[in-house]
Amino acid sequence: MEVLKNAIQFVLDLGAPVFVPLIMIIVGLIVRMKLRDAFSSALTLGLAFIGMNMVVGFMMDSISPAAQEFVKNSGINLNAIDGGWTPMSTLAWAWPLAFLMFPVQILINLLMLALKQTNTLNVDLWNVWGKIFTAVLVIGVSGNIPLAFLIAAIQVVLELKMGDVNQKQIQKLTQIRGVTCTHGMTLFNVFLYPINRLLDYIPFFNKHIDANWLKQKLGIFAENHVMGFIIGVLIGTFAQYPPQKILILGVQAAAALTLFPMVARLFMEALAPLSDSISDYMKRKYSDRQLYIGLDWPFMAGCNELWVAMIIWVPITLLWAVILPGNNILPFGGIINLSLAVPALIVTGGNLLRMIVLGVLTTPVFLYVATFFAPTITNLAKDTHVINVKDGQFLSWSSIELPDFRYLFAQASNIVHGEFLGLVLAIGWLGLFYWYYKGMQKRADQLSTELDGTSHHMSV
């Protein structure tokens, strides 16, 4: 047992930018890539992860202080601190049984592949902390460890099924074959899907408005750097910054929106050779099957709609935080809401207008769930002594991933205390998941012909 814990700790110390490329080298050699090609692709992938982390960190460091200043000027007193995802992962790994989640995820994935219940190989093992965090929240609500592992295992299964059914949509968005996203945040697609379907009945929302459409209509004002500058200036103005700081924030936002697609191209450069090799290998060995590589979200970062929507949501999130009755969290570390942006991008197919609307309508879900879990997270921080929280304050995460799943299934675990409402709601959520899965399957079938035709044309 101690050997397993040490091995897992070694993996954690490597971090995603090193560990995931190592897995990719192994996969590449299995599918008969030359060592030099596998190494080059894997190293480029590691560079892409580091580059994306740097740019995301730069943008958050620029915008978060302005967001905090905005709320401060409003005079609202919110006593739950938004630590973002980093403290949450620290708390997750502080759980004594956390290391057991590695073999749980790997065994479920291999079993589902063997039984042909998934075509996705999830190599994003570093983000296993998301399942651990779910388990910890369940224990905080019900105190039941077996149910915590069961719900975390359900999350693993659903992530793989999401990876399967979303792959064609993601391929269309990124132009990268054979890769999908297995991050748990995609489970929020289930909540967004019914709202997106309702928008189908409003003619105004049936026009596909993406970054390219904006460029055609708005010209230079829709270019990444100009749009980033304008949005940054507006956020600085809302924060009542002096003119100098407003202009600096505008340039910083412009830099971030310009750099994101540049870094994203590294993901395409890294993943294309591996994807081609896997595709050729599967055709030779298993002509009736496809294999998708499940990764974290950053390979999708070349979609400009992602970043435009997230920056537009910043003042909207702050406004919701100020006016929502019962909200207790001040958005800061999670003010850039990737947990909403990535699902919205997939569900809408990159329709920027719909993404913005979905963000406006569903941001309260994140704030309320973050408020709900704040006492649980705070107690965990105090019990583990890994994060210091002052008396009278709470710790949480304003853009907590898969908020609907975590809230409903944590409540479902209260069945051990004779409470059945949470279980009923969780079963209802699974019904929505089934609806989403069937709907995206039809979408995938439609896209298959289109994408196969495009691939054939490119190869010719």
Side-chain angles (χ1 to χ4, degrees):
M1 194 68 74
E2 191 64 30
V3 173
L4 178 60
K5 289 181 69 173
N6 291 336
I8 291 171
Q9 188 58 51
F10 176 77
V11 169
L12 293 176
D13 291 341
L14 289 176
V18 175
F19 178 68
V20 174
L22 285 175
I23 296 294
M24 299 301 268
I25 290 176
I26 295 171
V27 173
L29 294 176
I30 290 173
V31 297
R32 303 293 190 267
M33 283 185 78
K34 292 181 179 179
L35 177 59
R36 66 183 184 188
D37 295 334
F39 176 78
S40 178
S41 293
L43 183 58
T44 304
L45 183 62
L47 297 177
F49 273 114
I50 289 176
M52 190 57 62
N53 289 338
M54 291 173 63
V55 180
V56 170
F58 168 74
M59 186 168 74
M60 291 186 65
D61 290 343
S62 302
I63 291 178
S64 293
Q68 194 173 40
E69 193 67 25
F70 172 83
V71 176
K72 180 181 177 182
N73 293 334
S74 71
I76 300 295
N77 184 26
L78 303 172
N79 63 350
I81 300 169
D82 175 16
W85 71 268
T86 307
M88 304 304 117
S89 66
T90 301
L91 292 175
W93 288 116
W95 184 39
L97 299 179
F99 69 99
L100 293 176
M101 204 63 74
F102 260 103
V104 168
Q105 175 164 314
I106 293 170
L107 289 173
I108 289 175
N109 196 172
L110 294 178
L111 182 62
M112 289 180 67
L113 282 169
L115 296 176
K116 297 186 178 181
Q117 295 302 305
T118 185
N119 290 322
T120 298
L121 174 64
N122 185 5
V123 302
D124 183 26
L125 295 179
W126 190 85
N127 272 315
V128 73
W129 79 264
K131 273 69 73 176
I132 300 169
F133 189 53
T134 296
V136 167
L137 293 178
V138 170
I139 293 171
V141 171
S142 67
N144 192 285
I145 292 177
L147 275 180
F149 272 101
L150 175 62
I151 291 171
I154 291 172
Q155 182 178 330
V156 172
V157 172
L158 295 177
E159 286 174 357
L160 292 170
K161 301 302 283 187
M162 275 291 188
D164 290 339
V165 80
N166 291 334
Q167 194 278 328
K168 294 301 180 186
Q169 182 86 307
I170 291 173
Q171 181 178 336
K172 181 175 174 61
L173 288 165
T174 63
Q175 301 301 307
I176 303 176
R177 293 194 302 147
V179 178
T180 188
C181 182
T182 45
H183 198 292
M185 67 174 67
T186 59
L187 295 187
F188 195 61
N189 296 23
V190 173
F191 192 87
L192 296 178
Y193 184 69
I195 305 174
N196 189 58
R197 288 296 300 270
L198 285 175
L199 295 179
D200 291 341
Y201 296 97
I202 304 175
F204 178 71
F205 292 106
N206 285 327
K207 179 177 288 187
H208 188 82
I209 299 177
D210 57 12
N212 291 329
W213 185 92
L214 288 178
K215 287 179 181 179
Q216 292 174 3
K217 299 297 181 181
L218 301 180
I220 190 174
F221 293 101
E223 295 290 340
N224 281 25
H225 60 299
V226 177
M227 193 158 37
F229 178 78
I230 293 172
I231 296 172
V233 166
L234 289 174
I235 292 173
T237 303
F238 290 144
Q240 298 181 23
Y241 272 0
Q244 301 95 320
K245 293 187 71 174
I246 290 175
L247 292 174
I248 291 172
L249 182 58
V251 174
Q252 289 173 330
L257 257 66
T258 302
L259 291 172
F260 280 126
M262 293 182 179
V263 175
R265 280 194 284 271
L266 289 174
F267 284 100
M268 297 181 68
E269 182 181 331
L271 294 170
L274 181 65
S275 173
D276 291 341
S277 296
I278 291 173
S279 178
D280 293 341
Y281 178 82
M282 293 302 290
K283 286 177 182 177
R284 291 195 308 268
K285 296 287 186 179
Y286 310 99
S287 58
D288 62 331
R289 292 194 70 180
Q290 292 179 300
L291 180 66
Y292 307 134
I293 298 297
L295 291 174
D296 198 355
W297 69 270
F299 76 94
M300 304 168 65
C303 301
N304 292 329
E305 297 81 11
L306 203 66
W307 306 105
V308 174
M310 280 192 291
I311 293 182
I312 290 175
W313 289 335
V314 168
I316 294 169
T317 301
L318 294 172
L319 183 60
W320 275 125
V322 170
I323 67 175
L324 276 180
N327 172 61
N328 197 32
I329 188 164
L330 169 63
F332 182 66
I335 189 67
I336 303 298
N337 196 344
L338 280 162
S339 308
L340 172 56
V342 172
L345 179 75
I346 297 171
V347 167
T348 66
N351 188 318
L352 181 59
L353 180 60
R354 289 192 178 212
M355 289 175 68
I356 293 171
V357 171
L358 291 178
V360 171
L361 295 177
T362 63
T363 291
V365 175
F366 289 87
L367 297 176
Y368 277 135
V369 172
T371 297
F372 172 80
F373 280 123
T376 300
I377 294 170
T378 304
N379 289 336
L380 180 64
K382 291 180 177 180
D383 291 343
T384 58
H385 305 290
V386 295
I387 297 175
N388 182 39
V389 182
K390 295 180 181 178
D391 291 338
Q393 286 188 331
F394 294 94
L395 177 65
S396 193
W397 179 14
S398 69
S399 52
I400 185 171
E401 295 161 350
L402 49 151
D404 51 335
F405 177 89
R406 281 176 168 152
Y407 174 78
L408 293 176
F409 280 79
Q411 292 286 40
S413 69
N414 272 326
I415 191 174
V416 297
H417 303 302
E419 299 176 17
F420 291 91
L421 179 59
L423 179 62
V424 172
L425 293 175
I427 292 172
W429 186 94
L430 290 173
L432 288 177
F433 177 88
Y434 181 78
W435 182 33
Y436 173 82
Y437 189 87
K438 289 298 181 181
M440 289 301 287
Q441 262 190 332
K442 292 180 181 178
R443 174 65 175 160
D445 292 340
Q446 294 169 357
L447 288 173
S448 290
T449 303
E450 175 187 338
L451 294 171
D452 290 345
T454 302
S455 300
H456 176 71
H457 177 73
M458 291 174 64
S459 64
V460 173

